[in-house]
C-alpha cells in the first residue's frame, strides 16, 4: 500500500475506531487520559515509520555525485605563476591537517623543463605514478601532447613513446597518401597539398623523437601522502605540485598541466581541436575500450600540426600561436579509463 493511501485509511478508519473504543471502555478521567496518550504515541510511531520509508526511497546516494568532472591544473586566462603559488598554498594546508594515518591523494606534478624518461626516476621517486604528459617541442610548430599511462618509471614511458611513434609513422604515410590523391592544378588544391605534406613532415619528426625516447615529458599525475608530495615539490626540476584530494576517480578528472615554456597568463581565446592519438599499454595498467573519433581537416602546417587521419582513443587540443595552451573542458577520461591520450598543445 502506498504511503498516501495508508495515511488516508489511518485517518478515516483506524483513528475513529480507536477513539470510539477508548470512549466506551473509559472508566474515569485518569484512565481515559492514559489510553488517549497511548493511542497518540502509537499513531505517531506509525506516521514516523511511514514518513521514513517514503523518504528513504527518494534520498540520493553518494554514487549520484560521481558524475561530476573535476579539473586540476591551469584554467583559461589564469596566470601560471599564480597557479604555482596557489598549488604550494594548498599543499601547505594539507600538511597542517592533523591525521593519525596519512591519507594519499592524487596530485598533478608540473616540471620546469622537458625531461627524458630516464630522468624521471630521481624526480618522481618515492610516489606512485599514474601517467605522464609528453610533447615533442618542435620550433614554430604546434605539436600534440600525449598522455601515457606509466606505472613503472621509466619502462612504461619508453614503451608508450614507441607506440606513439608507430602511430605517428602511420599518420605521416596517410598524409602523404592524401597529398598524392590531389591531381587538380589549382590554387586551392596546391594549398591543401602543401598542408598535407607539412603534416606528414611534422608527424615524421615526432615519430623519430618518440622512437628514440625524446626529452619530451613535462608533467605527471601521481598519488602520495602530503609529506611525500612536499618532498617532490622541493626538487629543483619541479615547477608545481597541485594536490587534488577532491579527485576520487581518475575517469572523472581532467588534468591540465602547463607547458614548461608557458610563463605568463594563458590565452582564454584559444580554441580546442579534437584529433587523434595512440594507445599505450603500460606493464601494470588496467585498460578499457576507448571511444574512437576520426580526425578533422588539417590546418596550416607552418603554425600547427594537422589532425591525424586515424581514429583515436583520445583527444588533442590546439594551443595558440604564442605557445599557450587552453584549459579546455574537452573532458577526455583519465589514464585509468583509457590506454593513452593526446591533447594538442
Amino acid at each position: 500500500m502506498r504511503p498516501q493511501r495508508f495515511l488516508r485509511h489511518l485517518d478515516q478508519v483506524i483513528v475513529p475506531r480507536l477513539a470510539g473504543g477508548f470512549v466506551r471502555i473509559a472508566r474515569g478521567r485518569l484512565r481515559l487520559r492514559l489510553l488517549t496518550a497511548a493511542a497518540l504515541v502509537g499513531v505517531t510511531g506509525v506516521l514516523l515509520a511511514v514518513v521514513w520509508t517514503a523518504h528513504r526511497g527518494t534520498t540520493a546516494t553518494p554514487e549520484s555525485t560521481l558524475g561530476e568532472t573535476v579539473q586540476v591544473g591551469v584554467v583559461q586566462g589564469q596566470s601560471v605563476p599564480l597557479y604555482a603559488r596557489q598549488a604550494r598554498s594548498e599543499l601547505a594546508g594539507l600538511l597542517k591537517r592533523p591525521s593519525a594515518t596519512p591519507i594519499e591523494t592524487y596530485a598533478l606534478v608540473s616540471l620546469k623543463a622537458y625531461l627524458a624518461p630516464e630522468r624521471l626516476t630521481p624526480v618522481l621517486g618515492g610516489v606512485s605514478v599514474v601517467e605522464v604528459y609528453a610533447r615533442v617541442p618542435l620550433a614554430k610548430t604546434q605539436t600534440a601532447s600525449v598522455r601515457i599511462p606509466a606505472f613503472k618509471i621509466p619502462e612504461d614511458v619508453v614503451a608508450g613513446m614507441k607506440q606513439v611513434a608507430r602511430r605517428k609513422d602511420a599518420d605521416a604515410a596517410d598524409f602523404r597518401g592524401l597529398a598524392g590523391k590531389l591531381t587538380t592544378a589549382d590554387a586551392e588544391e596546391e594549398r591543401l597539398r602543401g598542408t598535407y605534406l607539412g603534416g606528414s613532415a611534422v608527424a615524421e619528426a615526432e615519430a623519430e623523437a618518440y622512437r628514440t625516447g625524446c626529452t619530451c615529458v613535462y608533467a605527471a599525475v601521481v598519488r602520495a601522502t602530503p609529506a611525500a608530495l612536499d618532498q617532490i615539490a622541493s626538487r629543483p626540476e619541479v615547477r608545481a605540485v597541485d594536490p587534488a584530494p577532491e579527485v576520487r576517480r581518475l575517469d572523472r578528472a581532467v588534468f591540465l598541466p602547463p607547458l614548461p615554456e608557458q610563463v605568463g597568463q594563458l590565452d582564454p581565446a584559444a580554441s580546442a581541436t579534437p584529433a587523434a592519438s595512440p594507445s599505450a599499454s603500460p606493464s601494470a595498467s588496467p585498460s578499457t575500450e576507448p571511444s574512437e573519433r576520426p580526425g578533422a581537416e588539417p590546418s596550416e602546417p607552418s603554425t600547427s600540426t594537422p589532425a591525424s587521419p586515424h581514429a583515436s582513443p583520445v583527444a588533442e587540443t590546439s594551443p595558440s600561436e604564442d605557445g599557450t595552451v587552453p584549459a579546455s573542458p574537452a573532458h577526455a577520461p583519465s589514464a585509468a579509463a583509457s590506454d593513452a591520450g593526446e591533447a594538442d598543445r
Side-chain angles (χ1 to χ4, degrees):
M1 183 180 293
R2 294 181 179 179
Q4 294 83 355
R5 294 181 60 186
F6 179 77
L7 291 174
R8 189 182 304 111
H9 179 73
L10 186 68
D11 184 54
Q12 296 177 355
V13 179
I14 297 179
V15 173
R17 289 181 181 178
L18 287 175
F22 291 153
V23 171
R24 287 193 298 271
I25 65 175
R27 296 178 183 276
R29 186 171 300 176
L30 178 60
R31 186 175 181 181
L32 177 61
R33 290 180 179 177
L34 292 176
L35 290 174
T36 302
L40 290 175
V41 170
V43 171
T44 301
V46 173
L47 290 174
L48 290 174
V50 171
V51 172
W52 178 78
T53 302
H55 179 68
R56 184 180 59 178
T58 60
T59 301
T61 62
E63 290 294 325
S64 65
T65 63
L66 293 178
E68 300 177 359
T69 302
V70 180
Q71 285 191 357
V72 182
V74 186
V75 299
Q76 293 181 351
Q78 184 178 10
S79 164
V80 176
L82 176 61
Y83 161 74
R85 290 195 297 270
Q86 291 174 340
R88 284 195 296 270
S89 177
E90 185 174 355
L91 180 56
L94 289 180
L95 289 169
K96 293 179 181 178
R97 293 181 182 178
S99 177
T101 303
I103 300 176
E104 290 189 343
T105 181
Y106 289 108
L108 176 62
V109 179
S110 302
L111 303 177
K112 294 179 180 178
Y114 295 98
L115 296 181
E118 62 272 13
R119 292 278 311 279
L120 297 175
T121 302
V123 178
L124 302 177
V127 299
S128 299
V129 181
V130 178
E131 61 186 10
V132 301
Y133 287 77
R135 170 181 174 269
V136 179
L138 299 180
K140 298 182 180 180
T141 303
Q142 296 175 3
T143 56
S145 172
V146 297
R147 190 175 67 243
I148 303 174
F151 295 87
K152 289 185 178 180
I153 302 295
E155 294 89 346
D156 287 347
V157 180
V158 173
M161 284 185 171
K162 289 181 178 179
Q163 195 156 0
V164 174
R166 289 193 292 270
R167 207 272 295 174
K168 294 294 183 181
D169 282 332
D171 287 350
D174 284 348
F175 281 127
R176 287 194 299 270
L178 292 172
K181 293 178 180 179
L182 300 176
T183 57
T184 305
D186 60 25
E188 181 61 24
E189 286 208 0
E190 284 296 330
R191 184 198 66 80
L192 191 57
R193 184 181 294 105
T195 297
Y196 286 142
L197 293 176
S200 176
V202 171
E204 288 177 348
E206 290 180 286
E208 180 61 25
Y210 284 122
R211 195 164 24 247
T212 58
C214 60
T215 303
C216 299
V217 178
Y218 65 92
V221 176
V222 302
R223 183 175 177 85
T225 62
L229 293 177
D230 187 49
Q231 292 181 354
I232 296 290
S234 65
R235 291 168 183 167
E237 300 89 348
V238 175
R239 184 184 203 176
V241 175
D242 187 359
E246 67 275 14
V247 173
R248 295 289 182 265
R249 289 173 46 174
L250 287 177
D251 61 341
R252 303 293 185 184
V254 177
F255 294 95
L256 305 168
L259 297 174
E261 61 266 27
Q262 293 172 335
V263 295
Q265 183 173 344
L266 295 195
D267 182 8
S271 59
T273 303
S277 89
S279 172
S281 301
S283 57
S285 66
S287 65
T288 59
E289 270 307 309
S291 60
E292 294 190 345
R293 190 185 193 284
E297 182 180 351
S299 57
E300 285 297 328
S302 61
T303 58
S304 63
T305 305
S308 167
H310 285 274
S312 162
V314 291
E316 300 178 358
T317 52
S318 171
S320 60
E321 294 186 5
D322 62 358
T324 60
V325 176
S328 169
H331 300 172
S334 185
S338 66
D339 285 338
E342 287 194 17
D344 246 3
R345 297 293 182 188

